[in-house]
Amino acid sequence: MSAKQLEKGSLLLAEPAILGDATFARAVILVAEHGNEGSVGFMLNKPFSFTLNELVPEIKAKFKLYNGGPVEEDNLYFIHNVPQLIPNSVEISRGIYWGGDFELTKNLLNSGQLSQHNIRFFLGYSGWATSQLNEELAANSWIVAPNQYNDALIGVSATNLWKKQLLQLGGEYVLWSNAPENPELN
């Protein structure tokens, strides 16, 4: 996919060449917004060691919490696939929604009506100013891939997600998918 095919709902895969970048090395990012005002995404494969209920004690659900990116890391964001349960959410694409009524979401979590296959929480987001992401794509910092999971993406395991995406691309990426995380330790 070229930069022209980048759209909301696409996945950004960190190019193997940016392995030295502590934040984005091996990142898989769901693009939640892409337009004239810039771009926003959430890293899908960088879970924290603490859970949602440790951050928000009034929520009883022990869901994984993910590092969404380096912007506004003190803010909580969420994506989900249940707009019929969470009003005021914005569709990203293919049945994936961003945000919504947080008070109602807390009640749904506490009553067990949401599972980790329905909702994913992030601290922070990944953001790009107008045309910045297109420039990074032109510099081969990212690979654009379609979201083949559709709304099931919410429940996809973060473990080896980057590697699995590279294997699907085939070619030279198969070799890169097996590269050690830190080549100096090889």
Side-chain angles (χ1 to χ4, degrees):
M1 255 186 196
S2 70
K4 292 180 182 175
Q5 294 172 308
L6 177 65
E7 58 189 22
K8 287 172 43 169
S10 297
L11 299 179
L12 289 177
L13 313 176
E15 270 284 352
I18 68 168
L19 286 176
D21 183 313
T23 301
F24 293 116
R26 298 180 183 233
V28 177
I29 298 175
L30 172 67
V31 177
E33 184 60 51
H34 179 67
N36 295 333
E37 302 297 315
S39 303
V40 172
F42 299 102
M43 287 192 287
L44 299 169
N45 62 331
K46 305 273 183 168
F48 287 113
S49 61
F50 52 93
T51 59
L52 179 62
N53 67 315
E54 291 174 290
L55 180 70
V56 185
E58 63 266 23
I59 295 177
K60 294 172 182 42
K62 295 182 179 184
F63 288 14
K64 286 182 183 178
L65 190 60
Y66 292 83
N67 177 352
V71 182
E72 294 187 14
E73 293 176 297
D74 56 345
N75 287 333
L76 185 66
Y77 299 92
F78 61 97
I79 59 174
H80 61 88
N81 57 14
V82 287
Q84 70 280 11
L85 296 178
I86 303 174
N88 304 320
S89 56
V90 176
E91 186 171 20
I92 295 172
S93 83
R94 300 181 182 170
I96 299 176
Y97 293 78
W98 176 8
D101 184 323
F102 188 64
E103 288 304 313
L104 179 58
T105 301
K106 287 194 300 189
N107 293 337
L108 292 167
L109 287 163
N110 287 335
S111 65
Q113 295 180 60
L114 296 175
S115 77
Q116 292 188 61
H117 294 284
N118 301 125
I119 194 164
R120 189 176 286 209
F121 291 89
F122 304 91
L123 279 179
Y125 66 89
S126 300
W128 296 266
T130 304
S131 78
Q132 180 185 4
L133 183 53
N134 288 334
E135 291 169 11
E136 290 182 16
L137 287 165
N140 295 319
S141 295
W142 301 101
I143 304 159
V144 179
N147 169 12
Q148 299 174 338
Y149 303 101
N150 297 318
D151 66 344
L153 180 68
I154 304 291
V156 170
S157 172
T159 306
N160 294 319
L161 183 58
W162 182 80
K163 178 177 181 168
K164 291 173 190 172
Q165 292 297 308
L166 288 187
L167 288 171
Q168 287 181 5
L169 294 173
E172 68 183 71
Y173 294 109
V174 172
L175 177 65
W176 281 108
S177 73
N178 289 311
E181 198 159 336
N182 184 345
E184 293 176 2
L185 298 178
N186 194 9

